[in-house]
Amino acid sequence: MIKVLVVDDSALIRKILTEILSSDPNINVVGTASDPYLARDKIKQLNPDVLTLDVEMPRMDGITFLRNLMKLRPMPVVMVSTLTHNGGLVTLDALEIGAVAYIPKPCLEGEGWFAMREEICDKVKSAAAAKVAAFDPDRFVQKSVIQPIDRAVQLSDKIIAIGASTGGTEAIKDILMQLPGQMAPIVVTQHIPKAFSTSYAQRLDRSCQINVVEVADGMRVSMGYAYLAPGDQHLRFEYSGQNLVCRLSSAPPVNRHRPSVEVMFDSLRQVFKGRIVSVMLTGMGADGAQAMLRLKQAGHTCLVQDEASCVVYGMPKVAFELGVTNVTTALRKMPEVILTELRKKV
């Protein structure tokens, strides 16, 4: 039984979240709090496994409370944030500080919440199993970039494809920040709402030597760029002449996700004429694992994050159990492993 403390200044939201979470037989809402000061006392009294935390609250905002909490008593936190530009920025701040996941506040106070019941319960259960570390200020410090690839190495016939879910926003950032600007193209599918994906791509672009952009339909895939799938569309590919281009699709979710890692992996396998280096990072569920197996069977390279460094060992675990991996490695070693694979002659 997962013990949850709901923290929100709105009595209505506290009631709705309590009702939704209590509908799952594996979740027990042990208490609620209307502000961080009350939450602090209830954490001591009730010792919850997971905290749901609103961003905007009286007396102390959610981000300040989260930073204090992750320094003094690290625990799994699921942020509750509005689907706005500012809400997206604050949510990304929370993930950097150590929040495990987020619940986007729907526009409709009642009906919208209950339509997300399964997603909300899944996120809380996933958070309960997540590995949580104390807040590390060094996370905000620019990481050293790995030595660039020798110009004699052929990169134009290679592409890197990265898939991730829970914990992935920071894992992807940790990898891209260490890669040099001279790189084979990188395509990324991270499970993220559209309201957050634009801000996320912009933040990555400011932090990395490689150029990071959110995909627009018809965008040409070029060396030195990383392409992030928008939060509400699948990322596919096709050739226009000799150029590989991105195609966006609003087709139904696959494995309950849009964008889906499986869609991206399968499209690359079916279309790309060169070598694919696929990477599966932290995340709950199994999205992309079967597609990664098909990549392996087609002779492409499959890299999987190891259990110890995953926030949630879900998607990588399924891929590993399917036997798809060429290399299983810790997140901190993944950038060098990617470059090693790119240097190999096929």
Side-chain angles (χ1 to χ4, degrees), residues 7-9 34-36 53-62:
V7 185
D8 199 296
D9 65 323
S34 58
D35 68 52
L53 180 61
D54 189 18
V55 171
E56 297 179 0
M57 290 181 293
R59 300 210 287 169
M60 182 188 295
D61 66 89

Side-chain angles (χ1 to χ4, degrees), residues 198-260:
T198 301
S199 300
Y200 178 53
Q202 292 170 347
R203 184 171 294 204
L204 287 176
D205 187 55
R206 291 193 296 268
S207 303
C208 304
Q209 287 201 10
I210 193 169
N211 301 292
V212 183
V213 294
E214 184 180 37
V215 172
D217 190 58
M219 187 175 280
R220 176 182 171 182
V221 176
S222 302
M223 287 179 54
Y225 279 80
Y227 300 87
L228 177 72
D232 61 349
Q233 294 182 289
H234 294 304
L235 176 56
R236 304 178 189 269
F237 306 91
E238 67 180 26
Y239 275 95
S240 176
Q242 296 299 310
N243 298 318
L244 184 70
V245 298
C246 300
R247 288 299 180 196
L248 298 178
S249 166
S250 297
V254 174
N255 299 322
R256 293 172 51 196
H257 295 287
R258 189 175 66 207
S260 163

Side-chain angles (χ1 to χ4, degrees), residues 323-344:
V324 309
T325 56
N326 294 102
V327 179
T328 300
T329 186
L331 179 64
R332 61 183 175 81
K333 296 181 179 179
M334 188 67 79
E336 186 58 62
V337 172
I338 290 172
L339 293 183
T340 298
E341 292 299 325
L342 291 178
R343 293 184 183 110
K344 288 182 179 178

